[in-house]
Amino acid sequence: MSRRKPQSPQEKALLDKARRYMPGATLGNAPSDYDDGFIVQGGRGSRVWDFSGNEYIDYLLGSGPMLLGHAHPAVVEAVRQQLDQGSTFFLTNGAIIQLAEEICRAVPCAEMVRFTTSGTDATFQAMRLARAYRRRDLILKFEGGFHGSSDYALQSVTPTRLVDFPTPVPGSAGIPRAIGDTMLIAPFNDLDTTTAIIQAHHEKLAGVIVEPMQRILPPVPGFLEGLREVTARYGVPLIFDEVVTGFRFAYGGAQEYYGVTPDLAALGKVVGGGYPLAAVCGRAEIMRAYDASAVAGDEFIPQIGTLNGNPVAAVTGLATLAELRKAGAYQRLHATGHRLRAALLRALEQAEIPAVVSGEDTVFDVYFTDKPITTYRSTLAADGAMLKRFNRLLLDRGILKGGQKFYVSLAHTDSDLDQTIAAIKDAVGHLRG
Ligand SMILES: Cc1ncc(COP(=O)(O)O)c(C=O)c1O
């Protein structure tokens, strides 16, 4: 198997500069598995390359948005055409209205859309909408669920201190203690406990936010349906965080894929086609809080962002969605993931390494454990050090992936998969050693 070329003087110099000017020498995003100096020079299709002359088959995909692959010709052309007409206006523009219409056509819960620039802001806005609508403060989120980097979202994301539900554990320095008083934490995939928490707190509950597939934990049968039922019973808005799943699991996202419609959804990643755009969408009755002419002064939510609804991101989103509407796109995407996921599982089984391959066909990864994985707490039993080693072995064999995610794209070819599967087999062979 080919190994990575050693770091070039150019990459070393860049890394030195990054160390000098950027905390941790990173954007804060990259898994620590790569922080010995992986600096991306460019990408095209299913491939990215670094400054040392190494090329990788990319299953990180910009952490999900690049569902068509890098520099897709239709997306590049859309940018080219838009650039001549200006890149940002702060005003409603033609392209963003078209994108709003397309989102409402595609996403079951979407009657209206408000745009943001990041998924973090979209989930933050969704929580604020629920709070404004219900005139209450408490939001229930799930342990292990990730909704971006706001003070609310960062409660109980990867807690190592396990406390009783529904008490939150802050996941970052700098979060005011008072935020914890506005959040409830429940165990994903445990409908009984979640229902009991909702029943006990429904009078003060503003909303429930959930990743329909939490990280790479699919919902157990009946979980999302039960959550829908109990939130509807108490008139509590259910928010799906579809930043990962939107336009990836299906054109209508996880709500189409799993057949459960929330009241609000946060979209990001794919909807912007790799440019900074995200959105909150949902029932008009809740979304009207953004319309000063439709609600009383104290019901109004001002939502202002310099780059929100940016026309370049709008046209790249529209170009991406147009590709996804082409016949067979989702079948191809699911088939790609299915083949890779099955091969990963087979390689681990043949090597007799205890492992669970968790997720859905378009996003998945391995937990090194022989125990079933359904909740955040069950994931703690998995061997994280082994996963880090596996990621590293794959990187050395030209396969780039996230810390705990393989994202697949429409750009991955059969020959990419052949090469990836060979690399996986070889990496698995070296895993124990
Ligand atoms: C489920 C989920 N929600 C929200 C976010 C935050 O989105 P962004 O990174 O655009 O702020 C992410 C980012 O990965 C995510 O995975």
Side-chain angles (χ1 to χ4, degrees):
M1 276 266 139
S2 66
R3 294 291 193 271
R4 280 170 92 194
K5 295 185 187 110
Q7 204 167 49
S8 68
Q10 189 186 12
E11 196 164 65
K12 261 197 189 108
L14 278 169
L15 191 62
D16 284 345
K17 236 183 233 183
R19 285 200 187 98
R20 166 71 183 80
Y21 295 112
M22 297 165 68
T26 69
L27 302 173
N29 290 336
S32 56
D33 322 34
Y34 307 140
D35 60 9
D36 66 338
F38 183 101
I39 301 181
V40 177
Q41 189 174 37
R44 187 171 297 270
S46 62
R47 308 280 170 139
V48 295
W49 50 92
D50 65 18
F51 277 90
S52 297
N54 296 297
E55 188 174 281
Y56 306 85
I57 303 177
D58 185 11
Y59 296 96
L60 179 59
L61 297 175
S63 190
M66 310 315 297
L67 190 59
L68 306 182
H70 298 282
H72 187 281
V75 174
V76 172
E77 184 51 31
V79 175
R80 250 193 215 116
Q81 286 189 16
Q82 181 60 42
L83 284 184
D84 278 343
Q85 301 176 58
S87 55
T88 200
F89 306 111
F90 198 63
L91 292 174
T92 314
N93 56 82
I96 204 69
I97 296 171
Q98 270 188 56
L99 185 58
E101 182 184 18
E102 192 50 43
I103 289 170
C104 290
R105 237 196 301 257
V107 179
C109 80
E111 293 173 359
M112 302 194 100
V113 185
R114 181 50 76 91
F115 291 97
T116 68
T117 307
S118 72
T120 291
D121 197 13
T123 59
F124 173 77
Q125 291 293 330
M127 289 187 264
R128 181 172 283 172
L129 274 168
R131 286 176 162 135
Y133 177 74
R134 286 271 291 166
R135 294 172 170 266
R136 291 162 170 87
D137 289 348
L138 280 178
I139 296 282
L140 182 146
K141 82 173 276 290
F142 291 89
E143 188 177 56
F146 180 63
H147 306 294
S149 302
S150 72
D151 289 353
Y152 304 109
L154 280 178
Q155 301 291 326
S156 296
V157 180
T158 52
T160 45
R161 186 166 59 85
L162 298 179
V163 300
D164 290 342
F165 297 111
T167 304
V169 178
S172 166
I175 295 180
R177 220 172 299 163
I179 296 288
D181 297 338
T182 69
M183 300 297 290
L184 299 172
I185 305 300
F188 183 76
N189 271 339
D190 178 345
L191 187 59
D192 289 346
T193 305
T194 302
T195 300
I197 295 169
I198 292 173
Q199 278 169 343
H201 295 272
H202 70 93
E203 279 176 6
K204 292 184 175 169
L205 194 58
V208 171
I209 186 165
V210 65
E211 291 181 83
M213 177 174 83
Q214 182 170 293
R215 309 286 74 208
I216 52 169
L217 306 180
V220 296
F223 179 70
L224 292 179
E225 291 81 353
L227 201 54
R228 177 64 286 185
E229 194 278 316
V230 67
T231 47
R233 194 189 317 153
Y234 293 113
V236 173
L238 177 62
I239 304 161
F240 274 10
D241 178 348
E242 295 235 35
V243 170
V244 166
T245 55
F247 294 101
R248 170 170 283 280
F249 277 22
Y251 196 61
Q255 44 196 287
E256 177 188 324
Y257 186 76
Y258 293 127
V260 175
T261 305
D263 300 290
L264 294 169
L267 301 172
K269 300 198 192 272
V270 175
V271 74
Y275 285 73
L277 183 142
V280 54
C281 60
R283 282 171 45 206
E285 186 193 358
I286 306 175
M287 297 292 295
R288 73 193 196 115
Y290 288 132
D291 180 354
S293 69
V295 293
D298 65 346
E299 293 175 338
F300 174 59
I301 302 178
Q303 187 253 350
I304 298 162
T306 303
L307 295 175
N308 290 350
N310 171 265
V312 180
V315 297
T316 56
L318 283 166
T320 299
L321 301 196
E323 292 299 310
L324 295 175
R325 285 195 300 278
K326 289 186 176 167
Y330 283 96
Q331 285 94 316
R332 206 147 50 77
L333 183 68
H334 283 265
T336 298
H338 189 78
R339 183 177 164 214
L340 191 58
R341 188 180 168 192
L344 173 61
L345 183 62
R346 208 171 320 116
L348 292 161
E349 279 172 358
Q350 278 169 359
E352 296 180 5
I353 294 175
V356 174
V357 175
S358 183
E360 300 284 3
D361 284 341
T362 63
V363 195
F364 56 87
D365 209 342
V366 56
Y367 284 107
F368 289 103
T369 175
D370 55 3
K371 309 267 184 333
I373 294 277
T374 54
T375 64
Y376 169 75
R377 292 189 185 195
S378 64
T379 66
L380 299 177
D383 185 341
M386 197 172 210
L387 179 63
K388 268 191 182 350
R389 239 178 14 257
F390 187 48
N391 290 342
R392 187 73 225 191
L393 287 163
L394 286 175
L395 192 71
D396 288 343
R397 286 155 181 76
I399 308 299
L400 176 65
K401 65 182 281 290
Q404 185 124 51
K405 269 191 192 130
F406 276 93
Y407 276 114
V408 294
S409 78
L410 284 168
H412 290 115
T413 62
D414 283 344
S415 102
D416 287 334
L417 292 195
D418 293 342
Q419 198 178 320
T420 306
I421 291 165
I424 285 174
K425 286 181 182 161
D426 193 59
V428 166
H430 287 77
L431 204 47
R432 284 194 199 275

